[in-house]
Amino acid sequence: MPLSRRTLLKSAAAGAVSTWTPAPGLSLFAAAAQPSERPLLVIVHLRGGADGLNLVSPATDSDFIAARTSELRVAADGPGAGYALANGPDPKIDFRLHAAAGGIAELYQSGVLAIVHAAGLTDGTRSHFVATDMIERGIADEASLARIRDGWLARYLQIDPAARAEAGAISAAGAVSGELVGWKPALAVPDLAGGLAPAGGPQAHEVLTRLYASAGDPVCDAGRAALAAMATIDRAVPRDARGAVIPYSPEAGASYDTAAEFGRPLKTLAQLIKMDLGLDVATVDIGGWDTHEYQPGRFRNAVTRLSNGLAAFWNDTTRYHDRMVVVTVSEFGRRLRSNRSMGTDHGRAGVMMVLGAKVKGGRFHGGWPGLSNARLDEGVDLAVVTDYRQVLTEILRHRGALPASHVFPGYVEKGPLGLFGA
Amino acid sequence: MAEPSMVSDPASPSYVLARLGYGPKPGDAAAFQRQGLAGWLDQQLRPPHGDDADTAAALARARLRIVYEGVDDMRPLATLDQPIEKLWPLIAEHDKHAPQERRRPLLETISSTLIRAVHSRYQLREVMCSFWHDHFNVDAWGAEPVAVALPSYDRDVIREHCLGNFRTLLESVATSTAMLYYLSNRSSRAGAANENYGRELFELHTLGRDAYLNDKYDRWREVPGALKGHPAGYIDEDVYESARAFTGWTVEDGSAIDGGRKLPATGRFAYVESWHDGYQKRVLATDFNEFQPPLADGKRVLDLVADHPATARFLCSKLVRRLVADDPPPRLVAAAAATWSQNRRAPDQIAKVVRAIVLSPEFIEAQRAKIRRPFALVAGFARATGLDLMPTEPLINAMAGAGQRLFGYPDPTGLADDRDHFIGTGAMRVRWQLVLALALNQWATGEWSPDAAMPPSIETVGEAAQFWLDTLTGQAPPDQVAAILGGMGVMQDQPLGPRQAPDSDKRLSLVAAYAAMSPAFQTS
């Protein structure tokens, strides 16, 4: 078995080796980094199909200006002008970040955030739910959906000798995100404000432990897993002398309040990170992007939450910057031409962002197809130039060796974007 | 001679009443045994219009607290039977009303939904209303007009047609204020139509995502069967064309139509001819001539999608998933779809399909196959214990914490039905908390005496644990009885103590709560 001696020893010490069974015939990550060494991966889902063209606008592109009402574009000048972005993908075009994205602009300018525009699914679906399923499962063809039910992160963890059984993979949400479906130890923890012990105190915990003792039934298994995870995490929740949970206070003056409902899962995530339980991969959702009507106000709100949230999270976790990569993903972008509800309908390519101290930030990666009719997908939407899996592949590789064909079956790399390193 | 069969009636009352309802009340199981499954089902599928007397009385005595500046009342449910124009001033005269008043129709609808689930004799109707609310999901927590339109959506659309005809239900949804706001067709205009409703009509309401042939995009002739007028599925062009067909379907929201005319502000459905795109269209390989009479384009789209065989398959697969198992057995889906299509003009089409599904061998074999969603946990606990549940905001919020915010699912897919969605770490924790808090009345949902609910013959804690496990789950395995007693540190034969004493009442409440926290109560 190609496990290094060091990996074995460390895993055995952590008591984790028995939980891992290698899939037959797979070459394992011989050089897999330990969770403590490799960066924590945070996936931020922009659910609903975020309008990449309104988040990062090709502000001076004449095709763009002709196709869209000015309320749904970021302006290059005037009072509502957006943030100028150096190092865009096309030197003839002034790419501008939405005016409500001040936090993201700062991260970009400080060189830790990279933008990949015209990114997305190569499959032509304009369905939220088909697109979301494909992106969560790491595939790009509908035929595979019936065959491949696991999430891509689950497949990654299944063959990862360093994967942790306990509190290593968490969705800061009510349910485990699709990327982690199929990885049994994955947890869904939406909130830690009241700790994570069961209501009813030690007696309830004892009764539940006995009620859920028998193995084999999925609900019993889930109950047992929940009790174990609750105990592990609850032990690490800071409490005062009387046992009450100490309210979390972010570092460096960061405030999650300005991120509205996006703040809560991010705060939960920051708390989990600082418990040093060995969190290795995490997912968090932000909704509000399905802007079929009244986009100017709704989109501004969504961008404000996203930008403030990412900035607060980054500032709050300074000690972990070298050990963290955050990536944003959305199921698709939106139609180039706006509708008469002052909104945009489902489109194709969107924008992805990658944040991390080791990221080659402050610049765009990947190409820009242009918006002339001939360059559009089916004549209506921004075409996909960068497969979303290329971005994810480079992030995983940055974390250690990667059997990409297992995580993203059928994906053939088209040449690196160079998101990390030289 | 063979031994007499020891197999109990395959349709055990605790299973059927929990799967096709919210679980048995005391006495329900015996009544079900007398009727048998088919007799019970026939009665359930033909409920009288309106509420039965017990439910009506429970609704009438319900009080829901409302608090804002200068107001702190326990107020009866007053919005449920109001026509939409009576509630619409909450939107039209927005600033005259406190936010708590604007949210009131939503909270009252949540309350009535819970009260009906707990009290109604027609349990299957409640389950079907829940199914259609999920299928034709709207998010009343996300937009105030949807919240204000919710009583009429629940009453005149979902409840009215939940066992009726699908095509009729579909048009009722399409013209409902709640849906016109939620999927934004209200603002769709000729010129560049809003595709939101059109897309979800195909993908979520009728043909389903499996019938979306996105690789064909606008090449409609390449869709199998299209040239014979029977396309196998739909393409993006069908979505675009349908969006055009529904332009002008809107709401009387006070908008200006032109310089001289304005819609009244009633919240009712309206068709505005000058907002409609009247030119020729092609939907599902069917040509629509230009300039049809009012509403004709949209109704024709509804005819086409309602009659499509993919709709029969998609809807039946969802019905089977809800009523039978997370992985719908293909034979049963096909059989149900045949019933669906044969009865597509029948006024009781949906009831007939439900009947075909329930009276199938697959239904009998699917015991314990479904997770109880948080709402069903709450309603089931109240029914079994005789708790006269009074909905409160902490309860509503806790159900949301367990994964079910009633009428508040943001995505048009509606809340999932499958087990895995509801058994994550945080969700399990809140599931257990829900029944514990109800049993101990921690959220002012109603005082409850477990002692009064138990027969006087029960004298020990062990017998009480057996009684509650059996009452709640239809079984009381020794290991589960032992788990409750062992966890509480009491012996099987420990006497209950003086009846009605606060200490022993609390201990009994805990026994009932622990029985409801057991794995068996999590499924039906």
Side-chain angles (χ1 to χ4, degrees):
Chain A
M1 204 188 301
L3 270 177
S4 77
R5 181 178 160 73
R6 195 174 61 100
T7 307
L8 257 179
L9 286 173
K10 275 200 151 180
S11 305
V17 91
S18 63
T19 63
W20 164 69
T21 321
L26 284 165
S27 81
L28 298 163
F29 319 34
Q34 287 298 296
S36 56
E37 296 164 6
R38 67 187 183 191
L40 162 69
L41 171 55
V42 179
I43 315 258
V44 178
H45 256 283
L46 280 53
R47 298 210 182 254
D51 188 2
L53 290 168
N54 199 176
L55 181 58
V56 179
S57 281
T60 54
D61 181 311
S62 58
D63 293 314
F64 185 56
I65 293 168
R68 270 208 182 189
T69 173
S70 57
E71 292 92 333
L72 300 180
R73 289 187 272 117
V74 182
D77 48 34
Y83 295 94
L85 296 170
N87 309 315
D90 183 336
K92 298 185 294 298
I93 301 171
D94 183 355
F95 281 82
R96 293 278 174 151
L97 186 64
H98 195 283
I104 294 173
E106 262 181 53
L107 294 170
Y108 185 88
Q109 279 147 14
S110 65
V112 292
L113 183 137
I115 292 174
V116 185
H117 217 318
L121 263 176
T122 49
D123 182 277
T125 187
R126 286 167 177 79
S127 151
H128 289 297
F129 315 106
V130 175
T132 298
D133 282 354
M134 283 197 258
I135 282 189
E136 289 178 342
R137 297 181 202 174
I139 53 183
D141 65 304
E142 286 188 70
S144 297
L145 281 175
R147 203 162 43 79
I148 297 174
R149 316 295 296 187
D150 287 350
W152 63 266
L153 267 176
R155 284 197 300 280
Y156 172 73
L157 294 168
Q158 278 156 10
I159 56 163
D160 174 9
R164 294 178 52 97
E166 209 172 54
I170 295 182
S171 289
V176 167
S177 185
E179 289 89 354
L180 285 166
V181 165
W183 177 242
K184 281 209 161 182
L187 306 177
V189 181
D191 196 0
L192 288 171
L196 211 59
Q203 185 188 82
H205 190 274
E206 187 56 38
V207 170
L208 285 165
T209 303
R210 291 167 186 242
L211 282 171
Y212 284 76
S214 69
D217 170 73
V219 172
C220 279
D221 292 348
R224 240 181 6 268
L227 288 166
M230 285 158 64
T232 302
I233 293 172
D234 191 69
R235 262 198 302 276
V237 172
R239 292 174 189 270
D240 65 19
R242 298 199 326 278
V245 175
I246 299 171
Y248 179 69
S249 72
E251 296 170 42
S255 167
Y256 292 100
D257 298 343
T258 55
E261 60 266 41
F262 184 42
R264 188 172 72 132
L266 284 175
K267 184 158 81 174
T268 303
L269 206 50
Q271 286 172 275
L272 288 164
I273 290 169
K274 293 178 191 181
M275 288 175 183
D276 292 320
L277 295 168
L279 185 61
D280 186 36
V281 296
T283 72
V284 51
D285 293 338
I286 171 170
W289 302 98
D290 196 17
T291 47
H292 286 278
E293 64 174 357
Y294 311 132
Q295 179 164 321
R298 291 178 183 182
F299 194 74
R300 166 173 288 274
N301 289 341
V303 171
T304 303
R305 291 195 294 271
L306 174 69
S307 179
N308 290 349
L310 288 178
F313 181 67
W314 187 251
N315 292 334
D316 183 25
T317 54
T318 311
R319 285 181 284 132
Y320 295 84
H321 281 180
D322 287 346
R323 291 179 273 156
M324 184 150 56
V325 177
V326 182
V327 59
T328 71
V329 62
S330 194
E331 64 260 38
F332 45 61
R334 304 191 77 85
R335 189 73 41 82
L336 169 60
R337 297 177 185 88
S338 40
N339 64 32
R340 286 195 56 203
S341 298
M342 195 55 86
T344 51
D345 295 303
H346 302 181
R348 290 294 318 282
V351 67
M352 294 175 79
M353 295 184 287
V354 187
L355 167 65
K358 305 272 174 67
V359 171
K360 281 177 75 180
R363 51 166 293 189
F364 285 58
H365 295 264
W368 175 251
L371 294 170
S372 66
N373 232 56
R375 307 302 301 267
L376 294 174
D377 182 278
E378 302 284 8
V380 292
D381 292 322
L382 177 64
V384 173
V385 172
T386 300
D387 191 310
Y388 75 103
R389 293 171 295 183
Q390 184 61 37
V391 177
L392 300 179
T393 297
E394 291 188 23
I395 292 172
L396 293 185
R397 189 171 289 132
H398 171 63
R399 286 164 48 90
L402 165 76
S405 63
H406 180 70
V407 178
F408 301 115
Y411 179 56
V412 180
E413 283 192 62
K414 274 193 185 160
L417 299 166
L419 283 166
F420 298 91
Chain B
M1 285 287 283
E3 290 287 312
S5 169
M6 294 302 289
V7 179
S8 58
D9 179 355
S12 90
S14 65
Y15 164 55
V16 176
L17 297 175
R19 181 64 67 77
L20 303 181
Y22 292 102
K25 281 178 129 171
D28 280 1
F32 177 87
Q33 295 280 36
R34 286 193 297 276
Q35 282 182 301
L37 174 60
W40 178 85
L41 185 61
D42 283 340
Q43 191 186 50
Q44 291 286 314
L45 289 174
R46 277 193 286 275
H49 209 265
D51 295 304
D52 59 74
D54 284 354
T55 308
L59 287 167
R61 69 174 174 267
R63 297 289 181 275
L64 185 61
R65 191 167 179 204
I66 183 163
V67 184
Y68 56 93
E69 208 188 339
V71 174
D72 185 350
D73 295 339
M74 292 299 289
R75 199 189 284 174
L77 309 182
T79 63
L80 299 177
D81 52 2
Q82 297 296 313
I84 193 156
E85 58 271 24
K86 286 275 194 255
L87 301 178
W88 203 251
L90 292 167
I91 299 302
E93 300 163 3
H94 185 274
D95 297 343
K96 289 191 192 166
H97 305 280
Q100 289 83 351
E101 297 286 358
R102 292 198 296 273
R103 213 158 57 114
R104 186 78 185 173
L106 163 61
L107 290 178
E108 291 193 1
T109 306
I110 292 172
S111 301
S112 67
T113 302
L114 252 173
I115 288 168
R116 286 185 170 118
V118 172
H119 291 278
S120 178
R121 294 182 59 195
Y122 300 97
Q123 288 278 294
L124 182 52
R125 175 166 65 188
E126 298 309 311
V127 167
M128 290 305 294
C129 285
S130 156
F131 173 82
W132 291 118
H133 271 297
D134 289 334
H135 183 76
F136 291 116
N137 181 70
V138 297
D139 178 7
W141 291 84
E144 286 177 344
V146 180
V148 170
L150 195 64
S152 100
Y153 189 63
D154 179 59
R155 178 189 66 225
D156 305 330
V157 180
I158 301 295
R159 205 157 273 285
E160 178 71 22
H161 302 292
C162 66
L163 292 164
N165 177 274
F166 180 73
R167 170 64 182 81
T168 310
L169 170 58
L170 189 64
E171 185 165 325
S172 189
V173 171
T175 55
S176 71
T177 306
M179 191 60 79
L180 285 160
Y181 268 90
Y182 174 59
L183 290 182
S184 55
N185 203 73
R186 181 187 64 109
S187 64
S188 190
R189 302 284 186 271
N194 183 323
E195 294 164 19
N196 200 4
Y197 175 69
R199 184 168 295 276
E200 307 312 2
L201 172 67
F202 280 87
E203 179 173 332
L204 299 176
H205 295 176
T206 60
L207 278 74
R209 59 186 265 180
D210 289 349
Y212 174 35
L213 309 175
N214 84 63
D215 57 324
K216 303 285 189 273
Y217 187 68
D218 59 354
R219 294 168 287 277
W220 69 276
R221 288 181 188 82
E222 297 173 16
V223 174
L227 295 176
K228 292 185 174 146
H230 299 291
Y234 69 96
I235 57 178
D236 286 298
E237 191 182 72
D238 291 315
V239 171
Y240 304 161
E241 295 279 66
S242 299
R244 294 175 58 220
F246 288 106
T247 47
W249 291 46
T250 188
V251 173
E252 290 183 345
D253 61 358
S255 294
I257 298 174
D258 52 39
R261 287 181 305 158
K262 189 166 124 158
L263 285 168
T266 66
R268 287 188 301 223
F269 174 73
Y271 174 74
V272 177
E273 176 68 29
S274 59
W275 294 347
H276 181 64
D277 181 341
Y279 291 91
Q280 64 272 28
K281 306 169 181 75
R282 183 180 50 242
V283 178
L284 290 173
T286 305
D287 287 318
F288 290 29
N289 285 343
E290 62 281 3
F291 302 117
Q292 296 299 297
L295 299 167
D297 282 344
K299 288 186 180 192
R300 188 140 183 234
V301 172
L302 297 178
D303 287 341
L304 288 169
V305 295
D307 270 1
H308 199 283
T311 299
R313 283 193 300 274
F314 179 58
L315 266 293
C316 288
S317 117
K318 283 191 76 172
L319 280 165
V320 172
R321 182 174 297 125
R322 168 63 59 94
L323 300 176
V324 181
D326 287 355
D327 286 319
R331 189 214 69 87
L332 182 55
V333 173
T339 304
W340 176 284
S341 297
Q342 281 154 21
N343 291 286
R344 63 183 192 271
R345 305 281 177 263
D348 59 347
Q349 176 194 17
I350 297 164
K352 287 195 158 87
V353 173
V354 170
R355 190 168 198 281
I357 292 170
V358 172
L359 296 180
S360 71
E362 288 91 342
F363 176 77
I364 299 299
E365 285 160 16
Q367 310 213 9
R368 302 248 165 269
K370 292 290 293 182
I371 193 78
R372 270 192 162 104
R373 301 196 299 181
F375 176 83
L377 274 185
V378 169
F381 184 78
R383 283 177 68 79
T385 56
L387 168 65
D388 189 15
L389 184 73
M390 201 48 64
T392 60
E393 289 204 48
L395 170 65
I396 291 165
N397 290 332
M399 285 193 289
Q404 189 170 19
R405 181 170 284 293
L406 283 184
F407 310 115
Y409 196 75
D411 301 337
T413 37
L415 182 64
D417 221 355
D418 59 304
R419 183 182 60 222
D420 290 347
H421 195 81
F422 298 99
I423 59 174
T425 305
M428 285 304 295
R429 178 171 174 266
V430 185
R431 291 175 77 85
W432 294 324
Q433 184 184 16
L434 273 171
V435 288
L436 186 69
L438 289 181
L440 302 179
N441 193 24
Q442 291 173 337
W443 297 327
T445 47
E447 284 296 341
W448 169 68
S449 163
D451 190 54
M454 290 187 339
S457 59
I458 290 176
E459 291 176 345
T460 65
V461 182
E463 287 165 357
Q466 273 181 30
F467 171 81
W468 284 116
L469 279 166
D470 192 51
T471 300
L472 285 155
T473 71
Q475 55 183 22
D479 71 305
Q480 297 288 288
V481 176
I484 293 174
L485 300 176
M488 295 178 78
V490 296
M491 302 299 287
Q492 179 97 17
D493 53 1
Q494 178 155 334
L496 282 177
R499 292 262 165 140
Q500 310 291 342
D503 274 3
S504 63
D505 232 26
K506 170 159 187 204
R507 190 163 65 182
L508 270 181
S509 298
L510 284 173
V511 171
Y514 292 149
M517 289 152 83
S518 72
F521 193 65
Q522 309 307 309
T523 56
S524 68

